[in-house]
Amino acid sequence: MLEARSIAEAHLYLEIQVCQTCNLRWDGVRHALRTLEDRPVAVYSLSCSSCGARDQLEFLMPREPLPPGPLGGNEPSKIMDPGEFHAASDVYFALARDAVEQANPGNREKVATLLRRSIYALAEVPKFIPPSEDRVPPELIVSEIGRASYQRNPDRFVRDRIEYEIQDLLNLMQRYLPDAGPVN
């Protein structure tokens, strides 16, 4: 059973998972809740319409109150590595850029949501940096997605660079979507 810090973190984890049979994204997701020793468990039944495969993932959720922050608390994730968060941030940014290029005024809220998700995912990466260091230790990047992200540009896992990228995304939101509201 996976231990998620929040339902948002569980959803992000699900978004980056692919079917083990055909390597496509799961396109059928059903959700249920149960409890385990007074803790909520989010149960996701997954299905792939391409190959017919099925899977189930269970996330042990925190007791109330939920940890602060969009994805959960000050501690690093137990279900995703820093490279996965960086890769997710890049995907959300690319989707936002594509939505902007469509020049559809109705996309403003979609763009704002995607940029927020990019910022939230990127803000998780520094949580993996030990206090006495300036970068994510490479040995903490254990997933295939994470290693690919790290190998493309290891310098993007340095604290100062991450903070710069977050600020750049915040500035971008403020400049192009000033009425989108604050990023919490």
Side-chain angles (χ1 to χ4, degrees), residues 10-132:
H11 286 184
L12 178 56
Y13 180 87
L14 288 170
E15 286 180 24
I16 66 170
Q17 300 307 305
V18 295
C19 172
Q20 298 302 310
T21 305
C22 68
N23 210 34
L24 295 175
R25 287 192 65 221
W26 295 102
D27 55 1
V29 180
R30 290 184 328 164
H31 176 257
L33 288 173
R34 67 180 181 88
T35 57
L36 177 67
E37 297 175 9
D38 83 336
R39 288 199 48 196
V41 175
V43 181
Y44 293 89
S45 299
L46 311 171
S47 62
C48 177
S49 63
S50 176
C51 70
R54 298 190 179 286
D55 199 0
Q56 183 171 297
L57 293 174
E58 296 183 340
F59 296 90
L60 185 62
M61 304 304 294
R63 292 179 179 91
E64 295 293 333
L66 292 176
L71 295 174
N74 297 321
E75 297 300 315
S77 175
K78 294 179 182 177
I79 62 174
M80 293 176 66
D81 72 32
E84 289 172 309
F85 282 113
H86 222 305
S89 176
D90 289 346
V91 167
Y92 286 133
F93 178 75
L95 291 170
R97 184 186 60 232
D98 292 348
V100 167
E101 289 173 359
Q102 292 173 5
N104 179 348
N107 281 350
R108 292 179 62 74
E109 189 56 40
K110 178 181 179 180
V111 170
T113 297
L114 290 167
L115 286 174
R116 277 189 195 95
R117 287 181 179 179
S118 180
I119 293 165
Y120 297 157
L122 191 55
E124 291 298 312
V125 178
K127 295 177 184 180
F128 291 89
I129 301 174
S132 61

